[in-house]
């Protein structure tokens, strides 16, 4: 048997998993796990021989049983505005994209959770590529690792990477365990040391999984709403047929009640003549007020307006600046905290909904994925879940 095949990629393990690996597989003290994490995540070292504060015997044992393998960079590209995009190779010819967006005093990394996406939202180019498989924990945290090394990021000292948003390719709640494990590494002091609220998971609205997330993780939640009525939302986000808006808002009430210190972000992509009418703004404001009333707190939800980013073959257009301003003003008038997301990285196709990577063998898996989703199978049973 190939010896390498039996080695554990340490990027697949969160702190607890790594401590167990040290104790159970290597017969070592658990705290060694933290030393190794600092080498990997603070100093970007992958070669055990360079981990000089570990004894020679331990380094040899690590060589034998473990490896640190980040995703392969196939291509990297800076945009005129400082945005930076990586195309990362996964197995079997697949590739995913990951984008760094620097801004005043902060640096946000947009991370992918799946190769492609099976939800098929009509305005998203990732959906058009189809679904291939879930990413492993190593492939998710590996995106942060690649960016951190490129930036020379050192948690607590040289902090270039301050926020992570799970808003790249894929639906993170359909890859629950691997995403939760990777988000734990992002927030671990021996990992990337990010504050809980600076890690955001964005979902198209998988109601049961929102509840599960609130029980198992402490991150910020973003919900891709895009329309205030079921009729319209179903045409944009087909998942709405299974989890309509009232059920989604109920899940948000429960989430907000469990996480009293953070507000939920509602993403709303503005498309000309589709969902940018003043009547949509008023209906959206009403949903936000209802949420505040239910959880008895102001700004339990806030709105992030995203001007639509076009891609080849799309039937949608970006709303005019005037319509965007009017939409925002109507919401602000109703005391709804509302931001307009500035479009970044457009010249390298790195903006929201423009990530497409390379998704091979998608048709067969896509059909299977849909069948399971419609059957309501738990995430672990879905194709390629770890
Ligand atoms: N599946 C998750 C995360 C990926 S998309 C989700 O649905 O939330 C991240 C955000 O970009 C979502 O709000 C998504 O609806 C939005 N988006 C997708 N395509 C877009 C486009 N072409 N223009 C602007 N925003 C888009």
């Amino acid at each position: 048997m190939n010896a390498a095949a039996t080695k554990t990629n340490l990027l697949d393990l969160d702190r607890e998993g790594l401590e167990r690996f040290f104790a159970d597989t290597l017969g070592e003290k658990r705290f060694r796990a933290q030393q190794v994490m600092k080498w990997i995540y603070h100093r970007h070292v992958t070669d055990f021989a360079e981990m000089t504060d570990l004894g020679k015997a331990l380094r040899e044992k690590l060589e034998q049983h473990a490896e640190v393998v980040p995703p392969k960079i196939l291509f990297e590209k800076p945009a005129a505005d400082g945005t930076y995009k990586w195309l990362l190779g996964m197995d079997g010819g697949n590739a995913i994209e990951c984008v760094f967006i620097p801004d005043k005093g902060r640096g946000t990394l947009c991370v992918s959770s799946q190769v492609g996406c099976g939800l098929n939202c009509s305005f998203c180019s990732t959906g058009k590529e189809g679904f291939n498989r879930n990413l492993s924990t190593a492939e998710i945290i590996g995106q942060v690792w690649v960016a951190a090394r490129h930036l020379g990021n050192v948690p607590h000292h040289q902090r270039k990477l301050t926020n992570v948003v799970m808003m790249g390719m894929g639906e993170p709640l359909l890859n629950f365990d691997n995403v939760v494990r990777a988000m734990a590494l992002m927030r671990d002091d021996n990992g990337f040391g990010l504050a809980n609220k600076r890690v955001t998971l964005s979902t198209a609205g998988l109601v049961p999984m929102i509840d599960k997330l609130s029980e198992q993780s402490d991150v910020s939640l973003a919900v891709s709403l895009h329309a205030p009525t079921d009729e319209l939302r179903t045409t944009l986000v087909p998942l709405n047929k299974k989890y309509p808006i009232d059920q989604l808002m109920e899940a948000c009430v429960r989430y907000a009640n469990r996480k009293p210190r953070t507000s939920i972000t509602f993403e709303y992509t503005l498309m000309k003549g589709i969902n940018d009418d003043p009547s949509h703004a008023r209906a959206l404001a009403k949903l936000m007020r209802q949420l505040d009333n239910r959880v008895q707190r102001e700004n339990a939800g806030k709105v992030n307006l995203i001007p639509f980013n076009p891609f080849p073959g799309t039937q949608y257009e970006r709303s005019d600046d005037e319509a965007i301003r009017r939409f925002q003003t109507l919401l602000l008038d109703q005391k709804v905290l509302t931001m307009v997301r500035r479009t970044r990285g457009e010249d390298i196709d790195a903006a929201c909904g423009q990530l497409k990577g390379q998704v091979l063998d998608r048709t067969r898996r896509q059909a299977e994925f849909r069948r399971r989703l419609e059957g309501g199978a738990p995430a672990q049973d879905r194709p390629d879940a770890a």
Side-chain angles (χ1 to χ4, degrees), residues 123-124 167-168 170-171 202-204 224 226 267 269 306 308-309 352-353:
F123 57 96
C124 178
M167 292 185 190
E171 168 51 50
S202 178
T203 178
S224 292
H226 308 304
E267 293 158 281
T269 297
I306 314 171
F308 172 69
N309 293 309
C352 294

Side-chain angles (χ1 to χ4, degrees), residues 110-111 113-114 117 119 121-127 166-173 201-206 222-226 233 237 266-271 304 306-311 314 316 318 341 343 351-355:
C110 182
V111 168
S113 57
Q114 300 181 314
C117 185
L119 294 183
C121 297
S122 60
F123 57 96
C124 178
S125 80
T126 303
M166 298 299 306
M167 292 185 190
M169 297 166 67
E171 168 51 50
L173 290 185
L201 182 144
S202 178
T203 178
L206 272 127
V223 173
S224 292
L225 193 62
H226 308 304
R233 187 165 191 268
V237 183
F266 290 86
E267 293 158 281
Y268 196 104
T269 297
L270 280 166
M271 289 162 265
N304 208 334
I306 314 171
F308 172 69
N309 293 309
F311 52 89
T314 181
Y316 299 113
R318 177 177 298 181
R341 190 181 296 167
T343 299
C352 294
Q354 291 183 325
L355 303 188

Side-chain angles (χ1 to χ4, degrees), residues 45-292:
V45 168
T46 57
D47 184 350
F48 297 123
E50 288 176 40
M51 302 186 181
T52 45
D53 61 357
L54 304 178
K56 194 157 178 280
L58 171 55
R59 285 187 308 210
E60 280 169 5
K61 234 191 277 183
L62 279 166
E63 295 283 1
Q64 229 181 338
H65 296 280
E67 57 189 355
V68 182
V69 187
K72 245 193 315 304
I73 300 174
L74 298 182
F75 186 69
E76 48 193 313
K77 196 171 178 186
D81 64 3
T83 302
Y84 203 92
K85 179 163 93 169
W86 290 267
L87 182 69
L88 301 175
M90 303 291 141
D91 64 349
N94 287 304
I96 55 109
E97 293 183 327
C98 159
V99 179
F100 179 70
I101 308 146
D103 208 343
K104 284 176 238 83
R106 70 151 94 181
T108 302
L109 191 70
C110 182
V111 168
S112 296
S113 57
Q114 300 181 314
V115 180
C117 185
L119 294 183
N120 208 19
C121 297
S122 60
F123 57 96
C124 178
S125 80
T126 303
K128 305 284 172 227
E129 293 291 290
F131 173 75
N132 183 280
R133 67 171 177 86
N134 281 335
L135 295 182
S136 66
T137 303
E139 289 165 339
I140 300 169
I141 202 64
Q143 297 169 57
V144 189
W145 189 92
V146 163
R149 187 186 53 175
H150 169 83
L151 296 164
N153 182 69
V154 185
H156 317 296
H157 295 289
Q158 182 85 339
R159 198 188 269 290
K160 305 266 179 68
L161 207 160
T162 61
N163 295 60
V164 171
V165 291
M166 298 299 306
M167 292 185 190
M169 297 166 67
E171 168 51 50
L173 290 185
L174 285 176
N175 185 10
F176 191 88
D177 292 344
N178 292 341
V179 165
V180 164
R181 215 175 288 133
M183 292 193 308
L185 286 167
M186 294 171 201
R187 288 142 56 223
D188 198 298
D189 270 343
N190 298 302
F192 292 109
L194 301 179
N196 288 343
K197 65 170 197 228
R198 291 178 177 273
V199 175
T200 301
L201 182 144
S202 178
T203 178
L206 272 127
V207 165
M209 293 293 156
I210 293 176
D211 288 320
K212 192 169 166 191
L213 182 72
S214 73
E215 286 157 15
Q216 296 196 13
S217 193
D218 225 347
V219 293
S220 296
L221 179 67
V223 173
S224 292
L225 193 62
H226 308 304
T229 64
D230 282 324
E231 201 190 353
L232 180 57
R233 187 165 191 268
T234 299
T235 67
L236 302 173
V237 183
L239 184 67
N240 193 68
K241 275 196 270 229
K242 192 166 168 75
Y243 302 114
I245 293 175
D246 59 343
Q247 285 185 33
L248 179 56
M249 295 309 291
E250 281 299 321
C252 290
V253 168
R254 293 191 292 275
Y255 196 92
N257 279 331
R258 290 211 185 101
K259 315 277 176 199
R261 278 185 300 277
T262 54
S263 40
I264 299 173
T265 302
F266 290 86
E267 293 158 281
Y268 196 104
T269 297
L270 280 166
M271 289 162 265
K272 190 178 193 165
I274 302 285
N275 63 354
D276 62 353
D277 193 78
S279 63
H280 296 129
R282 282 189 281 270
L284 176 59
K286 196 166 157 201
L287 282 177
M288 295 298 108
R289 276 203 315 273
Q290 281 166 348
L291 175 66
D292 282 6

